Amino acid sequence: MLELRDLKCGYGQVIAVEALSLRVEPGRITALLGPNGAGKSSTLMCVAGHVAQNAGAILFEGEDLGRLSPGERTERGLAIVPEGRRIFPDLTVFENLLIGGYLRSPQAGRRNMERVYDLFPRLGERRDQRAGSLSGGEQQMLAMGRALMVEPRLLLVDEMSLGLMPAMVDQCFKALSTLMQAGIGILLVEQNTPRALAVADEVTVLVSGRCAYQADGTTARRDPALIDSFLGLDKH
């Protein structure tokens, strides 16, 4: 579904990621791990079209996305759940979701909104509530729901569990499992390494913008201490 080939991206003269290659398959999760500043979020934002691609290729279902705008990438079936949620706090839950589905027809919008409410019943209960008054977990659900309003085939998820209570983290990961079963591919950036490893089909670790480790999820779960050493969590 998604293939990065020797991706190089950054901000002006600052290179954030260099020579990164990875794949995301339909209905599977590729976890992108690494210490702070490793280039994980930059990778997601580059795939979404918000960070400059300096070299390499971003292929989505065989199409090179390099020259496409963020909106055109969304039309192709990509959606991002950004770090920090970035919801519209002064708008209601319903209005946030409505904005998320702006590329789809009104009929599709209504259908997708019901699917979001089925996935996150709490959002349906709070549809007329101002988004800024929601709890952190509810805001994360809203950010995910807004991304789902465009019927994505690939979801880019950045630091989903950051700052959430454990019960809310469980609900968000349960939602990811449901989306996988629906055939959606997921590229997951996640600081909660144990949770990411538990669900990942493929694992890539970035260190200083370069790939330091790559393996399938089963192999990575066999030696979590190795992953910790790349993340600077090794206690020995």
Side-chain angles (χ1 to χ4, degrees), residues 44-52 65-80 102-104 150 156:
L44 262 61
M45 295 298 279
C46 182
V47 173
H50 300 293
V51 167
L65 302 183
R67 296 183 179 275
L68 298 185
S69 69
E72 289 170 327
R73 298 180 196 209
T74 300
E75 289 177 345
R76 298 298 195 277
L78 278 74
I80 187 167
Y102 76 100
L103 288 174
R104 300 294 178 248
V150 295
L156 311 170

Side-chain angles (χ1 to χ4, degrees), residues 51-71:
V51 167
Q53 176 184 344
N54 302 107
I58 302 172
L59 302 176
F60 180 62
E61 297 180 336
E63 180 183 10
D64 192 333
L65 302 183
R67 296 183 179 275
L68 298 185
S69 69

Side-chain angles (χ1 to χ4, degrees), residues 40-185:
K40 308 182 300 295
S41 295
S42 297
T43 299
L44 262 61
M45 295 298 279
C46 182
V47 173
H50 300 293
V51 167
Q53 176 184 344
N54 302 107
I58 302 172
L59 302 176
F60 180 62
E61 297 180 336
E63 180 183 10
D64 192 333
L65 302 183
R67 296 183 179 275
L68 298 185
S69 69
E72 289 170 327
R73 298 180 196 209
T74 300
E75 289 177 345
R76 298 298 195 277
L78 278 74
I80 187 167
V81 183
E83 181 181 1
R85 299 148 199 163
R86 301 188 190 180
I87 60 171
F88 299 100
D90 294 328
L91 301 182
T92 66
V93 168
F94 171 80
E95 290 166 339
N96 270 269
L97 294 177
L98 197 63
I99 289 173
Y102 76 100
L103 288 174
R104 300 294 178 248
S105 68
Q107 295 86 351
R110 287 191 291 270
R111 181 179 67 245
N112 293 334
M113 196 170 295
E114 289 306 315
R115 289 175 177 170
V116 170
Y117 291 153
D118 286 342
L119 185 63
F120 299 116
R122 194 168 300 194
L123 295 182
E125 297 167 3
R126 290 159 172 72
R127 57 176 289 155
D128 296 320
Q129 186 171 328
R130 193 172 63 84
S133 67
L134 299 176
S135 70
E138 292 164 349
Q139 290 184 15
Q140 185 61 57
M141 292 176 186
L142 180 56
M144 294 177 67
R146 182 180 59 189
L148 295 174
M149 287 293 294
V150 295
E151 303 175 21
R153 296 189 300 283
L154 174 69
L155 198 59
L156 311 170
V157 184
D158 197 357
E159 300 291 12
M160 179 178 67
S161 73
L162 191 64
L164 300 189
M165 298 291 288
M168 285 296 185
V169 174
D170 290 342
Q171 289 190 43
C172 289
F173 272 93
K174 182 179 179 180
L176 287 190
S177 178
T178 300
L179 298 175
M180 289 169 58
Q181 293 171 20
I184 296 176

